[in-house]
């Protein structure tokens, strides 16, 4: 019997490591609550994980087996379990962050001293870090070239679930409270394999064909919302990709087929940032480009607090920040707007934003969150040029013209017409007072801050 050690691959089908573990007989699936990893968790993410684990355990139980659950140090738990059940190999799916890689080396070493192998598999990405390189053999730092190679590479088909599951029961699943977390304040989307499959099916059934037109419209809610599922591996990347290929094959028009490819391009962004993190692990805490460390961020505590609370007086920014608190998720376009606002209007270090997102997003993963922040702050690989600064008012007007999204998340503006909302920064105090007395005036002047941001970046680059 072989063991499969689940981590952020909380599914039974299309799981490379699990399929390998079940190839020659029974597989003993295991999940270990590791306090060193949990300390990086947050209520929405851990709640989503627990819900997904509960469903996974049920899936195994329905087939006469069980998910072995334990809490503690995997360098002790896994060797003991392998020896007790005579397992020669513990399988897992490779992790790409520094934390995951350090943990896995320690577990491999501990297993090795008992004569057990740790075999890691390529599962979470279609193309592993190192498998897509420039013609000179370097990792890509420009997405477009990466994407072309990624798109043209053959993709594996989804893997079957294993047939025989060992029936070894460990501990009960702990509650959030037992793991040291409070209930999330956000109302999060359901976790688990079934919810993931339903999301995918409903997305490829229609919305995917309008993705190109509607993906930047936060009120349209036309994106796949698969990010938390991808984060926790409740659905496999091959399953998602295969569904998009089927959708492309039956696309009703050329434009619809192009929209499918646009979506696949987003799947490739996810992989691009995983490659970046793998090759440049310093980006977790530092700017990708060293010279950007010289940026003299303004870092005003009150302004950062207003941003976190969604009280900046810039309606689209506040709507996004409140959506984050309410749902532990935020629309991609709005993530870009709020990130630009923090770094280029408030001139605050992107790391404040990254930390806030890490604490509140159900889909937070180091690679994408960091990639998104360094892109917006103009400090990352293939980032937004520093002189291209989003205007938060025109972004709101362009992407939420009827202010539908804004009104949904900012109740103080619920009864205010779209024109007034989109010209909030130009209104007099009396006009604002009469339109929405509870909603704040803009905390900064965008035009003025834009000039300050440009000067700040130029100074750091020695261009002033
Ligand atoms: P869809 O539009 O349906 O896209 C499908 C999938 O493609 C997503 O589920 C995701 O896996 C991937 N994807 C889409 N856009 C991006 C992108 N720009 N970069 C990388 N992958 C992408 N995404 C996360 O998964 N976790 C994060 O912690 C995260 N933090 C972000 C922080 C900032 C500042 C920004 C600007 C973006 C961040 N993103 C993050 C990327 C993106 O916003 C989300 O992946 C997307 O909003 C998730 O919604 P969806 O599943 O409906 O996306």
């Amino acid at each position: 019997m072989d063991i499969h050690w689940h981590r952020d691959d909380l599914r039974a089908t299309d799981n490379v490591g699990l399929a390998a573990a079940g190839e020659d007989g029974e597989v003993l699936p295991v999940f270990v609550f590791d306090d060193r990893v949990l300390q990086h968790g947050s209520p929405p993410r851990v709640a989503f994980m627990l819900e997904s684990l509960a469903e996974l355990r049920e899936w195994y139980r329905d087939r006469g087996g069980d998910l072995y659950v334990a809490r503690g140090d995997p360098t002790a738990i896994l060797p003991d379990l392998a020896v007790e059940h005579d397992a020669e190999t513990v399988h897992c799916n490779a992790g790409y962050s520094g934390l995951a890689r350090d943990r896995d080396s320690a577990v491999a070493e501990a297993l090795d001293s008992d004569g057990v192998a740790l075999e890691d598999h390529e599962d979470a990405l279609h193309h592993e870090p190192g498998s897509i390189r420039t013609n000179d053999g370097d990792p890509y730092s420009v997405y477009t070239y990466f994407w072309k190679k990624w798109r043209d590479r053959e993709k594996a088909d989804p893997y079957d679930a294993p047939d025989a599951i060992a029936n070894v029961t460990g501990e009960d699943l702990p509650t959030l409270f037992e793991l040291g977390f409070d209930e999330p304040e956000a109302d999060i989307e359901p976790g688990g394999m079934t919810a993931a499959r339903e999301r995918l099916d409903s997305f490829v059934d229609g919305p995917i064909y309008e993705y190109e037109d509607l993906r930047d419209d936060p009120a349209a809610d036309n994106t796949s919302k698969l990010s938390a599922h991808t984060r926790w591996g409740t659905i496999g990347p091959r399953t998602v990709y295969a569904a998009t290929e089927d959708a492309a094959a039956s696309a009703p028009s050329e434009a619809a087929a192009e929209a499918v490819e646009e979506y696949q391009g987003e799947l490739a962004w996810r992989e691009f940032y995983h490659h970046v993190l793998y090759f440049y692990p310093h980006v977790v805490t530092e700017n990708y480009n060293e010279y950007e460390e010289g940026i003299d961020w303004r870092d005003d505590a009150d302004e950062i607090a207003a941003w976190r609370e969604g009280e900046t007086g810039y309606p689209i920014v506040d709507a996004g920040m409140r959506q984050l608190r309410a749902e532990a998720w935020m629309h991609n376009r709005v993530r870009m707007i709020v990130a630009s606002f923090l770094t280029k209007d408030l001139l605050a270090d992107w790391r404040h934003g990254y930390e806030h997102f890490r604490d509140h997003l159900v889909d937070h993963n180091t690679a994408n969150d960091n990639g998104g922040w360094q892109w917006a702050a103009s400090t990352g690989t293939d980032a937004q040029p520093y002189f291209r600064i989003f205007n938060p008012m025109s972004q709101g007007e362009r992407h939420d013209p009827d202010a539908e999204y804004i009104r949904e998340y900012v109740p103080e503006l619920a009864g205010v017409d779209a024109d007034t909302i989109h010209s909030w920064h130009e209104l007099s105090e009396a006009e604002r007072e009469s339109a929405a007395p509870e909603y704040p005036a803009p905390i900064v002047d965008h035009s003025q801050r834009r000039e300050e941001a440009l000067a700040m970046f130029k100074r750091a680059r020695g261009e002033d």
Side-chain angles (χ1 to χ4, degrees):
M1 170 173 15
D2 277 357
I3 291 176
H4 177 71
W5 177 24
H6 284 282
R7 293 97 64 87
D8 46 15
D9 54 334
L10 305 183
R11 67 185 181 279
T13 44
D14 194 18
N15 185 323
V16 181
L18 182 65
E23 228 160 46
D24 300 321
E26 271 196 336
V27 50
L28 168 50
V30 176
F31 187 86
V32 180
F33 287 92
D34 178 347
D35 287 318
R36 274 170 311 183
V37 177
L38 276 170
Q39 68 179 340
H40 300 278
S42 71
R45 273 202 308 291
V46 179
F48 191 94
M49 175 184 89
L50 283 175
E51 192 180 359
S52 303
L53 275 169
E55 195 200 6
L56 183 61
R57 187 172 232 189
E58 274 317 300
W59 191 94
Y60 285 128
R61 287 182 173 174
D62 286 347
R63 284 153 187 80
D66 205 348
L67 173 70
Y68 180 87
V69 172
R71 183 169 181 182
D73 182 354
T75 63
I77 290 167
L78 289 164
D80 287 354
L81 196 68
V83 169
E84 191 185 338
H85 295 280
D86 226 7
E88 283 179 8
T89 308
V90 173
H91 299 260
C92 65
N93 292 317
Y96 303 104
S97 69
L99 187 73
R101 284 151 78 186
D102 289 350
R103 173 201 55 196
D104 293 353
S105 310
V107 170
E109 205 175 301
L111 285 167
D112 187 54
S113 58
D114 283 320
V116 182
L118 179 71
E119 208 172 292
D120 66 352
H121 298 268
E122 300 179 354
D123 171 83
L125 306 176
H126 290 282
H127 306 298
E128 293 301 288
S131 65
I132 295 187
R133 291 179 181 268
T134 65
N135 295 341
D136 293 335
D138 296 325
Y140 275 105
S141 55
V142 178
Y143 166 78
T144 315
Y145 301 121
F146 173 90
W147 152 243
K148 286 185 180 145
K149 283 195 181 161
W150 188 94
R151 181 192 58 192
D152 296 342
R153 266 306 140 85
E154 204 178 327
K155 310 275 180 289
D157 290 330
Y159 286 68
D160 290 336
D163 293 323
I165 321 293
N167 188 1
V168 185
T169 300
E171 299 171 25
D172 286 343
L173 281 175
T175 61
L176 258 184
F177 182 70
E178 284 162 350
L179 291 173
F181 296 94
D182 294 329
E183 282 297 322
E185 63 178 298
D187 189 8
I188 54 175
E189 296 269 333
M193 299 178 283
T194 310
R197 187 72 231 196
E198 284 171 5
R199 270 236 153 260
L200 176 65
D201 288 346
S202 62
F203 180 65
V204 294
D205 198 33
I208 195 170
Y209 297 129
E210 292 183 289
Y211 186 74
E212 205 166 8
D213 292 338
L214 296 181
R215 57 177 295 231
D216 277 326
D217 177 349
D221 199 14
N222 192 262
T223 65
S224 69
K225 279 206 173 162
L226 277 171
S227 50
H229 291 290
T230 314
R231 160 69 183 84
W232 287 108
T234 48
I235 195 154
R238 291 151 298 271
T239 306
V240 175
Y241 191 80
T244 65
E245 284 291 275
D246 288 347
S250 51
S253 64
E254 207 171 300
E258 274 168 22
V260 175
E261 186 167 297
E262 175 94 4
Y263 180 75
Q264 291 175 335
E266 295 308 315
L267 305 178
W269 266 111
R270 172 178 168 268
E271 301 211 0
F272 174 70
Y273 283 140
H274 278 81
H275 288 216
V276 169
L277 177 64
Y278 183 86
F279 287 108
Y280 309 105
H282 71 276
V283 297
V284 179
T285 49
E286 292 159 39
N287 296 313
Y288 169 72
N289 290 314
E290 200 188 335
Y291 65 83
E292 307 282 14
E293 288 299 318
I295 298 174
D296 189 13
W297 299 104
R298 180 186 175 95
D299 280 349
D300 180 297
D302 290 339
E303 291 180 2
I304 297 171
W307 176 82
R308 287 196 187 110
E309 296 303 323
E311 296 279 351
T312 66
Y314 281 90
I316 190 80
V317 173
D318 295 340
M321 298 308 292
R322 296 190 201 187
Q323 181 180 30
L324 177 62
R325 279 191 188 270
E327 298 169 10
W329 186 86
M330 195 195 299
H331 187 277
N332 179 60
R333 168 57 51 180
V334 192
R335 290 188 206 203
M336 289 157 68
I337 298 171
V338 304
S340 177
F341 187 82
L342 181 77
T343 52
K344 293 172 180 168
D345 281 84
L346 301 188
L347 282 65
D349 192 327
W350 61 267
R351 283 161 275 222
H352 296 292
Y354 175 77
E355 274 167 29
H356 186 73
F357 271 30
R358 187 194 57 203
D359 292 347
H360 288 87
L361 276 175
V362 64
D363 65 22
H364 161 81
N365 70 72
T366 310
N368 285 11
D369 211 357
N370 188 277
W373 274 101
Q374 294 226 35
W375 178 87
S378 303
T379 58
T381 40
D382 205 1
Q384 170 94 315
Y386 75 89
F387 46 81
R388 202 166 294 157
I389 296 181
F390 279 3
N391 177 328
M393 298 308 299
S394 52
Q395 284 285 320
E397 200 168 1
R398 184 173 326 145
H399 298 293
D400 187 25
D402 300 330
E404 220 180 302
Y405 171 81
I406 291 171
R407 282 198 215 90
E408 183 177 349
Y409 293 100
V410 184
E412 303 95 294
L413 296 173
V416 181
D417 64 86
D419 286 347
T420 307
I421 290 177
H422 292 311
S423 53
W424 194 250
H425 60 305
E426 290 165 351
L427 301 183
S428 67
E429 209 179 320
E431 284 168 327
R432 279 196 286 263
E433 184 64 24
S434 117
E438 304 294 328
Y439 187 66
I443 58 169
V444 293
D445 178 290
H446 170 71
S447 311
Q448 186 192 330
R449 285 299 174 91
R450 183 178 181 281
E451 294 309 313
E452 286 180 34
L454 289 173
M456 177 184 82
F457 280 102
K458 281 186 185 156
R459 270 198 308 277
R461 288 161 183 245
E463 290 174 13
D464 58 344

